[in-house]
Structure formats: C-alpha cells, structure tokens
C-alpha cells in the first residue's frame, strides 16, 4: 500500500468537492459504457440484421464484465489506493470501448464490451471510497447521495448520446461515446483526485469485518430485497403507462425521465437526512417502510384503475432508489479503510445479480398475475428488509 503523503489539513474544502465531482463523473462515464449498450439494441436489430436475442446478448456483455470484476477492483483499491484504480478503470474502459468500436464480428464485439464492462466496474468501489475517505462522517450521507447521482446521470447521457449516434451513424460510431467519456473522466481524476488518508497498516490492524458480526451481511440483504421493487418499477413503468394507462410513448418517456431526476434528488435528500439524524440505519428503515406502503398502495390503485396510481408509481420509483446511498455509505464506514473496497464490491455484485433476475421474474409475474398483484407482492420485500436492518452495532455519525 502506498504511504500517505498528503496532509489532510492541506486539502481545501473546494478540492474535496472537486474530487467528489471527478469521482461522480467517473462513475457516470462507467455507467455509459456499461448500461448505454442497451440503447444499441434497436440499431443492432433493425439496421445490422441481428436477432433480438443476439442483440440482447451483445447488450448484456458489459454487465457480465461488471459482475466479474467488482470484487477484484475493490481488493485493488484496498491494497493500492483509490486514485490508481480510478485511473486504471477509466483508461482501460477507454481502450476497450475504442477496440469495440473498431472490431468486426459478434464474438470480438462481445469480448471487448465484456472487458470494457469489467474495466468500468473500477469506479463503483473506488469512487465510494473517495467519498468516505475525504468527507467527515456528518457530511458523508450528503456527499454519497451526490456520488450516487452518477448512475441516473450516466443513464441520461447514454440515452441522449448513444441512441442518437447509433441511429444516425451506426453502432460502431456510437461506441466512441463511452470511449471519449471515460478518457475525459481519466483526465479529471488525474487532475484532482488524491488517495484519502488512512492509518498505517500493521499486522492484525485490518481484521475481516464479516467475521466480527452480521452487520455487513444484513445490509447486503436489505439492499438485495430493496433492489427488486426498484428494478420492477424501472423496467416496466414505461410499459405500464402505455399499455395499462393508454399514454403515448413520448408522454410516458417524459414521465419516466422526470421520475429518474426526482430519484437522483431523493438520494441526496435521504443522504443528508442521515447526516442530520446522526445514523444511517434509521433513515434506511424509514425508506423501507415507506417503499412497502407505496408499492402496496400502487398495486391497489392500479388494480382499481384509479388515476392516483400514476403519481404513486413516480413516488415508488423515487423511494425504491433512495436506499442506495445510505447502504453504500454504511457499508464503507463499517468495513473500514482496508476492507471497504471489497465490501462495496460485494454490495454491488449482490445488487447486480438480483437486478438481473428481477426483470425476467417481474415480467413473468405481470404476464400471469397482472400489474396490480405484481406491485403488491413486490411491496412485501421492503417489509422483509425492515426486519434485516441492523438495530445494534452502528457507530453514531458525528
């Protein structure tokens, strides 16, 4: 592990916020490389002649790469620092995205997208460690909420850029978007990000936090349960609005975009609330209870075809993503400076795996039970999560 050569007192408040901005942008650029490939499916199918199954397999390649690499990048951040991981991840994502843009044939395209996804996973763990390392406990909830905006921001950038470039100039031209974005992110990281201070590592000074108690495992379980309604709403909201409510695609898409923006703001608000409350688990429990109530109400009103179901689904989309920053902050704080990279990697891996299963299972439930019952049954999971939220062992934020 590199020695800490930066005096924390010499780092200004503006530099800390600049590091947060660079880390958030690195996260957003990684999301463009990972999730943005989904916006290539229409062009791959309609203009490149690929079947929907082949196009879907190509779009899934980066996600497989992310899941394969999250814990490894976390281990590297624990042992070699955050700056090198962010730089290596953004740099390699640039290289592999460019290689995908220049590739020919499905096999090579899939391979380079897989490797690009694996490289983009670096920002998931390292950017969270930058927040926890450079911001004091009473500001971390707010800072992590801002950092968590990287995902919706990346999705918005991808929707605007990759889809349009692919439609007008083809798939390979669109793949230069994440390559350029990650190159800019690497430059931003190189300019402003410093490894946060951490105590000197001595023999026995970094015990495995998973062997001490069940605190981290319980938070992982809470996040897994809450990610199911998040992805059921996120995946099928547009379809529900158009099929069940009769909205036009344009109007439904606009409401989905508004819901995503509100969700990003909600993450910041809940993070700041946890700073004010002096703990993470209380607000996490409140979010889970509220998500359960709103999902059940959404199911009832959707079944009765009441118009209030529309604002309720927007509220549900906000509440079901509000826990992300809280859980992420709590995991990093509890794991400590020598284990938080791996712990955050495990946190994200569990969520990715659950999300991958939530969409097809949700679709099956909607096909056989309808939207109303699917929403109600999905709403039971946040209540189960309430029972898993740790009630003891949290260190008070101060």
């Amino acid at each position: 592990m590199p020695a800490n050569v930066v005096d924390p007192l010499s780092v200004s408040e503006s530099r800390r916020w600049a590091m947060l901005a660079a880390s958030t942008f690195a996260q957003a650029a990684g999301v463009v490389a990972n999730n943005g490939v989904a916006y290539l499916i229409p062009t791959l199918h309609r203009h490149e002649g690929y079947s929907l199954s082949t196009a879907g397999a190509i779009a899934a390649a980066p996600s497989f790469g992310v899941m394969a690499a999250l814990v490894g990048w976390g281990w590297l951040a624990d042992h070699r620092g955050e700056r090198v991981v962010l730089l290596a991840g953004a740099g390699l994502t640039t290289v592999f995205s460019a290689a995908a843009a220049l590739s020919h044939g499905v096999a090579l395209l899939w391979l380079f997208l897989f490797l690009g996804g694996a490289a983009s996973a670096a920002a998931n763990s390292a950017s969270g460690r930058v927040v926890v390392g450079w911001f004091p406990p009473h500001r971390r909830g707010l800072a992590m909420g801002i950092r968590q905006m990287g995902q919706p921001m990346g999705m918005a950038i991808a929707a605007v850029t990759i889809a349009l470039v692919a439609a007008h100039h083809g798939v390979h031209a669109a793949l230069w978007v994440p390559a350029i974005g990650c190159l800019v992110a690497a430059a931003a990281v190189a300019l402003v990000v410093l490894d946060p201070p951490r105590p000197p590592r001595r023999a026995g000074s970094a015990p495995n936090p998973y062997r001490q108690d069940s605190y981290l495992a319980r938070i992982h379980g809470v996040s897994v349960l809450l990610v199911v309604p998040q992805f059921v709403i996120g995946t099928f909201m547009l379809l529900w609005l158009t099929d069940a409510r009769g909205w036009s695609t344009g109007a439904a898409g606009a409401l989905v975009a508004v819901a995503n923006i509100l969700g990003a703001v909600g993450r910041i608000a809940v993070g700041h609330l946890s700073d004010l409350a002096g703990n993470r688990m209380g607000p996490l429990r409140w979010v889970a209870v509220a998500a359960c109530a709103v999902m059940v109400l959404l199911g009832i009103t959707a079944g009765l075809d009441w118009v209030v179901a529309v604002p309720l689904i927007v509220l549900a989309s906000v509440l079901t993503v509000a826990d992300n920053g809280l859980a992420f902050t709590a995991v990093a704080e509890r794991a400590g400076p020598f284990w938080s990279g791996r712990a955050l990697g495990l946190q994200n891996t569990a969520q990715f795996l659950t999300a991958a299963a939530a969409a097809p299972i949700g679709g099956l439930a909607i096909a056989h039970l309808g939207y109303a019952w699917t929403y109600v049954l999905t709403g039971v999971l946040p209540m189960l999560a309430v029972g898993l939220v740790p009630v003891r062992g949290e260190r008070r934020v101060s």
Side-chain angles (χ1 to χ4, degrees), residues 234-250:
T235 303
F236 298 106
M237 180 178 174
L238 183 71
L239 191 63
W240 176 75
L241 288 168
T242 54
D243 286 3
R245 301 297 305 177
W247 286 39
S248 69
T249 301

Side-chain angles (χ1 to χ4, degrees), residues 33 37 50 54 57-66 68-69 92-93 95-120 172 175:
V37 182
Y50 293 113
T54 301
I58 292 171
S63 294
F64 284 111
V66 170
L92 288 172
T93 308
V95 171
F96 291 131
S97 296
L102 298 171
S103 67
H104 297 283
V106 174
L108 276 179
L109 178 60
W110 194 96
L111 175 63
F112 287 128
L113 288 175
F114 172 87
L115 293 173
S120 73
H172 290 83
L175 290 171

